[in-house]
Amino acid sequence: MNVRRSLAVLLAAGLLATSGCGAPAASQEVAAPGVVDACLPAVKGFAISTDADGKPLPKATPSTGGSDPHTLSGPSTATLADHSIHPVQGDQPRLPVAVKSCDGRQVQVKDTSRIIPVDLYGTLAEIVFSLGLGDQVVGRDTSTGLPEAAALPKVTPSAHDLNAEAILALDPTVVLTDKSIGPPEVLAQLRASGVPVIFFDDARTMDNIPSQIRAVAGALGVPERGEQLVRRTQDEIVKSLGLAPATGKPLRMTFLYVRGSAGVYLMSGPGSGADAMIKSIGGVDTGTDIGLTKPFVPLTSEALIRSQPDLIIVMTEGLKSLKGVDGLLELPGIAQTPAGRHRRIVDMNDTELLSFGPRTGRTVEALAKAVYAP
């Protein structure tokens, strides 16, 4: 992937600028009664300070004991203990459903027997499978790394670009997507051919998890399953939050988005999604702490040295693109940080770290263990 393509993908995914729903102004209007809104508002503080309905949660009890995380050294990999999908059970879909897509269009869903969910993180597919509709998914994108979806044909034969012919060959009855993936001309072509295409919110944050699950469940005619999944996801996240240490100075953590082959080196800040993950495991997001105002900014040695992270988090494929930890430590500024001096680098699967879907509780748990008990 070249630099321009990498940056285009990041912009589309909301990594370089906050995008909210990323849809025209019409999508900000309230959906008519009886119409499912695919662009529901986020639930601020979800699973950290509030429940899925915005009501305060009791504070999680942090863990006690263990080694001082500041004394740890060496890299580690965060790995989910359970990668499988555990679908909720419920009634059959109630159709048809009128849906107000995030791009302002109203879409009629009459048939969910052949679903294709596509986005940059695989989140929509994870939600569909978790809703118990995985046997109705007929195609997948590159980012859908679920074991249950491994045998499905890809509709993104070239990196993350959708292919209209590949999608139409699968005769989908509905396509679920967002603005993180494209090109837009392909999605327009699908609509022109008569395929219902629904755009959902492209933001990937903790606060958007319940809204995203509810929107997808409503669009597919299974709102009750959606509520089950929201509650289960909330419970798993709340439980995993307790893994953060109860005492001691919190670790300063920096998330870097790196693609060595493309020459893309970015540092995260507020709204990146990484800040929410860092907060969930009791850390201080250095990008926010030093005053960054964008989700991602070009990495500089000055910013790294000013941040002084105790630990750096990266995506696994990004680390591989730099030939591992040694390659990462060669980036300007990293060697001048506590993380660099102690080789405290934590990597995690690209399709899991920032997906913010039904398995987020397991993601938080895996990340906390890699940070505090490698």
Side-chain angles (χ1 to χ4, degrees):
M1 186 182 287
N2 60 34
V3 175
R4 181 175 296 178
R5 172 60 180 154
S6 296
L7 293 174
V9 168
L10 291 169
L11 282 165
L15 296 182
L16 295 181
T18 53
S19 61
C21 190
S27 69
Q28 305 305 314
E29 299 172 359
V30 178
V35 177
V36 171
D37 192 344
C39 226
L40 294 169
V43 179
K44 189 173 182 181
F46 173 67
I48 295 178
S49 59
T50 64
D51 67 13
D53 298 316
K55 297 177 182 178
L57 281 171
K59 289 188 177 180
T61 302
S63 63
T64 57
S67 303
D68 178 356
H70 294 83
T71 66
L72 298 173
S73 62
S76 56
T77 298
T79 305
L80 266 63
D82 180 6
H83 292 266
S84 300
I85 293 293
H86 300 287
V88 298
Q89 305 298 318
D91 297 335
Q92 292 300 308
R94 295 195 299 272
L95 303 169
V97 177
V99 183
K100 189 172 189 298
S101 174
C102 270
D103 66 343
R105 298 277 194 93
Q106 184 156 314
V107 180
Q108 193 83 357
V109 179
K110 300 178 181 179
D111 185 350
T112 58
S113 63
R114 302 184 65 79
I115 307 168
I116 296 183
V118 288
D119 67 90
L120 191 62
Y121 299 103
T123 307
L124 294 174
E126 183 179 332
I127 293 174
V128 174
F129 274 84
S130 298
L131 290 170
L133 300 175
D135 59 347
Q136 294 166 223
V137 176
V138 296
R140 69 179 179 95
D141 53 36
T142 302
S143 297
T144 298
L146 308 174
E148 294 83 353
L152 293 173
K154 284 186 182 180
V155 297
T156 50
S158 175
H160 294 281
D161 285 341
L162 296 170
N163 182 282
E165 290 72 22
I167 295 174
L168 291 172
L170 297 172
D171 192 26
T173 56
V174 61
V175 171
L176 313 179
T177 190
D178 62 27
K179 294 190 74 175
S180 72
I181 199 167
E185 295 80 11
V186 169
L187 295 164
Q189 184 179 343
L190 297 177
R191 273 188 171 158
S193 69
V195 177
V197 177
I198 303 171
F199 283 86
F200 293 88
D201 196 333
D202 58 352
R204 290 294 182 269
T205 67
M206 198 80 78
D207 292 351
N208 275 77
I209 291 174
S211 307
Q212 191 85 316
I213 292 174
R214 285 167 169 161
V216 173
L220 298 179
V222 289
E224 293 85 1
R225 296 194 202 185
E227 289 305 313
Q228 286 185 58
L229 187 56
V230 164
R231 300 301 167 187
R232 188 181 77 188
T233 304
Q234 174 182 298
D235 291 345
E236 290 180 352
I237 295 173
V238 169
K239 181 180 178 181
S240 66
L241 294 181
L243 295 171
T247 59
K249 186 179 179 181
L251 288 176
R252 296 178 60 79
M253 305 183 194
T254 297
F255 174 76
L256 300 181
Y257 181 92
V258 294
R259 284 294 184 268
S261 57
V264 176
Y265 308 101
L266 302 172
M267 179 176 177
S268 71
S272 64
D275 57 332
M277 294 302 295
I278 289 170
K279 182 179 179 181
S280 74
I281 60 171
V284 173
D285 175 50
T286 63
T288 301
D289 188 58
I290 67 171
L292 297 185
T293 58
K294 294 182 179 180
F296 278 83
V297 300
L299 177 64
T300 65
S301 58
E302 292 80 8
L304 268 176
I305 294 171
R306 188 153 52 101
S307 296
Q308 286 297 292
D310 300 301
L311 181 141
I312 292 172
I313 302 172
V314 293
M315 291 180 175
T316 300
E317 291 303 315
L319 188 61
K320 288 180 180 177
S321 75
L322 295 175
K323 309 302 182 186
V325 172
D326 289 338
L328 181 68
L329 294 178
E330 291 178 3
L331 295 181
I334 291 185
Q336 285 75 52
T337 68
R341 289 192 292 271
H342 299 291
R343 298 174 65 86
R344 287 295 285 133
I345 312 298
V346 172
D347 69 283
M348 191 169 193
N349 186 290
D350 296 42
T351 64
E352 295 168 351
L353 181 57
L354 299 181
S355 66
F356 292 102
R359 296 182 298 171
T360 296
R362 284 179 258 172
T363 300
V364 173
E365 179 183 20
L367 191 59
K369 288 181 177 178
V371 169
Y372 299 113

